[in-house]
Amino acid sequence: MTIRTHQSISGFVASEPQFSHTERGDARLYMKVGIEHYRKEPDNTFTQLETTFHDVIAYRGAAEQGAERLAKGDNIIADGRVREYSYECNGQRYEGEEFIATRIGHDLARTRYEVDRTERSAAGRDGAAFAPPQRPAQSSAATIGM
């Protein structure tokens, strides 16, 4: 089975996160995220380049948890996808892109915090620990390719 991969971004929350609801009633979180860029120099030092700013949007559970836990200035990592958009307003055409985050949280490499490990509801989850799939026993001859 192949490993499913996603796009991700890491940066800092550059605006106050704005929590709202869609027309259908789903939770929605919007924020600007700044991403710092660096160039490695021949002498192994780094030169900081211009910081870029991007729209990040999360929906439903990710939006609710993000609104509760994230604040301007936090270092984050978000998993999701880039969505390009365009629209027209007053005869002017606008185009851009936004990052739709399906998972979002603090960047462990840049954030210090305490983890609450008290039991929480495991609705919809099997509480059993992960067990790797059982594989049939192989003879040593098969293992070394004889």
Side-chain angles (χ1 to χ4, degrees), residues 92-143:
Q92 178 92 16
R93 183 133 195 98
Y94 296 93
E95 295 182 358
E97 64 182 15
E98 58 194 4
F99 190 83
I100 307 296
T102 53
R103 290 180 173 89
I104 190 166
H106 290 102
D107 183 345
L108 295 177
R110 294 179 159 67
T111 306
R112 292 188 324 166
Y113 59 92
E114 293 182 28
V115 176
D116 179 1
R117 297 201 187 279
T118 56
E119 285 193 42
R120 58 182 175 211
S121 171
R125 291 190 178 184
D126 181 3
F130 172 77
Q134 296 295 322
R135 295 184 181 191
Q138 295 179 340
S139 69
S140 60
T143 304

Side-chain angles (χ1 to χ4, degrees), residues 16-70:
E16 290 297 334
Q18 299 172 15
F19 184 75
S20 62
H21 288 88
T22 66
E23 291 176 2
R24 293 184 343 182
D26 292 330
R28 179 183 184 274
L29 182 67
Y30 167 83
M31 67 186 86
K32 281 283 191 190
V33 170
I35 299 176
E36 296 174 329
H37 300 275
Y38 295 88
R39 178 181 62 229
K40 187 173 183 179
E41 302 297 345
D43 65 355
N44 288 329
T45 61
F46 292 88
T47 300
Q48 186 170 5
L49 305 174
E50 185 176 341
T51 300
T52 59
F53 296 90
H54 308 274
D55 296 326
V56 174
I57 300 170
Y59 294 97
R60 295 177 283 288
E64 292 168 354
Q65 295 299 315
E68 186 176 312
R69 292 180 171 88
L70 299 176

